[in-house]
Each structure stands twice: as structure tokens, then as C-alpha cells.
Amino acid sequence: MFRYRQRVVTAIILGFLFVCAGCADKSVRVQEFSRENIVMDTLIKITVYAADPQLGEKALNEAFAEFSRINSLADRFSEKSLPDSETSDVYQINQNAQVKPVKVSDDILAMLDRSNYFANLSEGAFDVTIGPIMDLWGFKQTEHHLPSEKEIAEKLALVGYQRIVVDKEQKTVFLPEKGMELDLGGIAKGYATDMAVQRLRELGINSAIINAGGNVYALGSKPDGSPWRVGIQDPRNNNKIIAILRVENTAVVSSGDYERYFIIDGVRYHHIIDPSTGESARQLMSTTVLASSATDADVMSTTLFVLGSERGRELLQKFTNINAVFVDPERNITFSKSLNKQIDILDQANGQVKKEDSEDASSQVE
Ligand code: AMP
Ligand code: MG
């Protein structure tokens, strides 16, 4: 069921019909180049616009190559998925817990640096040492498991981002206790998206959209000059969009309790874990974060999901350029006040729509 992460978390509403609208009077006509591939267990779709077909194909190749490259560094189950028994940096780090520090790439150091930055700010709501808990619940494996309190307590003793030993000079990472495991699932797709976007920009692409299983990046504007339109999925109906955001040069990343989950006795157990309990975070159904960095948006969507709307809003207040939309268990939609001009709520899904004032933590009902 989870083999291919076809989480159509955030649907992109692409104006295919308008690709060349408004181009008639311009000297250069752009064409659309689009491709889908499964990388990182996720269906990734990239669409670029270019006047030169060779450039369009090259851009797609190189953007996908970035996703594959980051996957080959960050996949903690890499021994199963990589050819020639090559293993990822993260796999090596985990295998060598309590044994020895492992030399890693600059990308892993960058992801850990950013993860730890948000881990500190969120008092550990985001914690990349969550691996043992993910394994315990079996969210990656096909067989799920409802663990006992004792099992959770044992695995929680192995969780703690402060214990990761990073030597930036030597470029090594060390986990001090056997059984500790890094899991970059909350950041790697966002980071890979940023790397792909950087490559597209270097190639001179100024209009593109990437959807990496709910990690969307809208590069530039649509070819007709209008903003990209990114939909937020109804957390309980993946065929329905509850809101549309108009964005340019922005990452729009969603986290939700509908992406990887199982239900036992009517209780939904899902893949976003509150590190303070070792259980699925329960305060929200989904979070969607807008930021100029897809890495930050990815980390923040997971972090805010764990923190819930109240503590999440407090964290958001520390940033002027990161905005969010929350859907709570009563299906109320709350969004940062600064999104006011770029969001359309299509369906309130029986809940209320609230606009949050980012200066003042109180929210007002519209
Ligand atoms: P996302 O889908 O981006 O919200 O990330 C969820 C993924 O991040 C999970 O599949 C885990 O790999 C990982 N994860 C789960 N809980 C946490 C957490 N509290 N902090 C950091 N990563 C987490
Ligand atoms: Mg995330």
C-alpha cells in the first residue's frame, strides 16, 4: 500500500491550456516539457517551460538527477534499493552507531544543520533521530505494529537530536548509541526540491513547477505571467481541494495524517510522530507551509503538525517569510494573515475558516 508514495497531497492546478496565452506577441514561444518518475518512494512530477526543446529535456534530466542523488545519500533503507550494494550516507551512519564516525557528503551536513536548527526552535518537535520509533510502528515496512508502552519507552530512549555528533571540519557524523537511527524523511524531499530548483535556475529555466509528493515548488510564474495555482487537499478526500494558493518562487509543502497510516479500532495511526510521546501527533489533520526554501517548508510542515496550531503559531511568529495553513480535527481551516490575498477557500468542509494574525497569536473567526 505504501510502496509508491502516491500521495497526491497537494494537487497542482496547471494552466496547460494557457501555456502560450499571451506569447503571441512575444518573439520567443515556450513549450512545456513534463515528466513523472518514482524517486524516494514518491511520485515526482516536474514540468518546465523552455523555448529550446533540448534545454527542456536537459532541464528535466538534471532536475530528476538531483532527486536521485539526494535519495542515494539519504535513503536509510538504501541497501535494498540501490544497485551494486552501494549504501547511502544515512545507512552508513545508522549501521555505525556506537561504532565509529562516518564521513558524509556536504548535503547530509546541510540537512542535519537545518534539521537541528528547527529542532532547537521547536524544542524537539522536529527530531531526525526518530528512526527507531518509525521502525517500531512499521510505517516504512508493509506490516504495521501497535506497540506497547514499554516498547515505545525503550525506543524513545534512543531518540534525541542533541546526541548526534557532527564534526563539520572532518565532515563526519556519529550516533553514540547502538540502535539510534537517523531518518531524514521529514526534510530530504524538500532539500532535493531545492537542489533541483537550483539546477533549473542555473540552466536558465524561469518557469517550472515541481511536485514531489506534496512538496511543491513553483518557479517563477506561469508562462503567461500569472501566478501558479497550488491546491490544498481535503485531508479526508484526496480527490477534493479545499483551498487554492496563488504563488511565485515559493515552496508549498503539506504534511498530513492521510499520507501513511493504518487504522485499528477506529484509531488512525500515522507517520508523523510526536517525539515527546513516541505516538502519532494528534492535534491537526494537515499543515501546509509556504516559504522560499522547500527545505524549510518541508521541515516546518512536519514541525507544525507535531506542535499543533497554538504552539505552531508561536513558532511561526519568529519568521516573517514563512506562512502556514492548518486544518484541525474539526476541519477548521486557519491560515496566516499574510496569505489573505493569495488564498481562496473553496470548501470549508463543515469547519470554520479562521485567519490568524501573525503579530497577535489570537485568531479571529471570519
Ligand atoms: P512529512 O511527510 O514531510 O511530514 O514527513 C514525515 C516523515 O518525517 C516521516 O515519514 C518520518 O520519516 C519523518 N518524521 C516523522 N515524525 C518526525 C518528527 N517528529 N521529526 C522529524 N521527522 C519526523
Ligand atoms: Mg516535512
Side-chain angles (χ1 to χ4, degrees):
M1 171 177 185
F2 302 111
R3 190 69 200 99
Y4 300 121
R5 295 185 75 186
Q6 286 175 329
R7 28 175 224 178
V8 191
V9 181
T10 310
I12 302 172
I13 301 168
L14 290 169
F16 289 118
L17 293 175
F18 305 108
V19 170
C20 232
C23 307
D25 52 349
K26 293 180 188 165
S27 53
V28 184
R29 280 177 165 258
V30 292
Q31 291 175 47
E32 179 186 301
F33 302 87
S34 193
R35 197 182 298 164
E36 284 182 2
N37 248 329
I38 290 166
V39 193
M40 298 179 156
D41 269 354
T42 303
L43 182 67
I44 296 175
K45 180 168 182 177
I46 304 179
T47 304
V48 305
Y49 294 89
D52 171 5
Q54 263 184 336
L55 175 62
E57 289 302 326
K58 183 177 160 76
L60 288 177
N61 290 342
E62 298 207 5
F64 273 107
E66 285 302 295
F67 277 96
S68 300
R69 187 175 70 81
I70 301 305
N71 183 51
S72 70
L73 299 172
D75 181 4
R76 74 191 176 99
F77 298 100
S78 68
E79 91 282 18
K80 290 179 203 141
S81 55
L82 283 182
D84 307 329
S85 64
E86 280 174 39
T87 55
S88 72
D89 285 3
V90 167
Y91 181 80
Q92 292 286 341
I93 294 166
N94 293 344
Q95 284 294 106
N96 286 294
Q98 207 179 322
V99 179
K100 61 172 188 206
V102 170
K103 203 118 188 139
V104 297
S105 63
D106 289 342
D107 298 284
I108 293 293
L109 292 175
M111 279 188 266
L112 285 180
D113 201 46
R114 212 57 191 152
S115 295
N116 288 341
Y117 171 76
F118 284 103
N120 279 318
L121 278 181
S122 66
E123 294 170 342
F126 191 82
D127 192 326
V128 287
T129 62
I130 203 72
I133 297 280
M134 296 302 293
D135 291 346
L136 179 64
W137 288 91
F139 286 115
K140 178 75 190 188
Q141 296 86 339
T142 40
E143 274 183 35
H144 299 123
H145 171 63
L146 198 54
S148 66
E149 279 180 21
K150 186 167 168 277
E151 284 176 305
I152 292 177
E154 277 168 14
K155 296 296 179 189
L156 266 187
L158 297 164
V159 175
Y161 70 95
Q162 300 97 330
R163 300 175 68 195
I164 307 170
V165 183
V166 178
D167 184 331
K168 286 187 185 170
E169 300 229 316
Q170 295 300 314
K171 299 191 177 185
T172 60
V173 178
F174 177 57
L175 299 177
E177 191 175 340
K178 193 140 198 67
M180 286 184 78
E181 268 190 80
L182 290 187
D183 176 342
L184 298 184
I187 183 171
K189 280 203 299 292
Y191 183 82
T193 303
D194 279 336
M195 293 298 107
V197 168
Q198 189 178 316
R199 198 63 205 110
L200 292 180
R201 286 205 167 104
E202 284 164 3
L203 288 169
I205 301 290
N206 52 28
S207 177
I209 191 135
I210 297 178
N211 186 0
N215 282 241
V216 173
Y217 190 90
L219 173 58
S221 58
K222 288 204 281 187
D224 67 0
S226 65
W228 293 104
R229 289 152 56 82
V230 180
I232 298 178
Q233 180 193 312
D234 182 331
R236 291 295 174 269
N237 180 355
N238 62 12
N239 292 316
K240 199 163 128 197
I241 287 168
I242 54 171
I244 289 184
L245 293 151
R246 288 178 295 280
V247 290
E248 289 179 20
N249 293 315
T250 299
V252 182
V253 177
S254 292
S255 291
D257 66 2
Y258 48 84
E259 294 168 358
R260 290 175 183 223
Y261 66 92
F262 57 94
I263 293 177
I264 295 179
D265 292 337
V267 180
R268 179 183 288 250
Y269 300 94
H270 65 83
H271 72 313
I272 304 175
I273 301 292
D274 181 345
S276 69
T277 63
E279 303 204 28
S280 302
R282 296 250 165 256
Q283 298 193 57
L284 292 166
M285 276 186 184
S286 79
T287 48
T288 299
V289 173
L290 289 85
S292 55
S293 149
T295 308
D296 288 2
D298 194 5
V299 175
M300 276 294 272
S301 69
T302 311
T303 308
L304 295 177
F305 192 98
V306 173
L307 290 176
S309 52
E310 204 169 308
R311 287 180 66 205
R313 266 182 293 178
E314 282 170 26
L315 177 57
L316 276 172
Q317 281 175 30
K318 296 191 199 301
F319 302 91
T320 50
N321 52 359
I322 302 183
N323 292 304
V325 182
F326 299 116
V327 182
D328 75 14
E330 282 76 48
R331 304 168 75 88
N332 297 313
I333 303 171
T334 310
F335 57 87
S336 308
K337 197 178 176 188
S338 32
L339 294 179
N340 217 9
K341 290 205 174 85
Q342 56 185 125
I343 190 168
D344 290 330
I345 305 292
L346 302 185
D347 189 327
Q348 299 183 15
N350 302 325
Q352 291 179 314
V353 180
K354 299 174 184 178
K355 187 172 56 184
E356 162 206 322
D357 188 327
S358 53
E359 271 82 53
D360 164 5
S362 66
S363 64
Q364 59 188 78
V365 179
E366 288 288 279

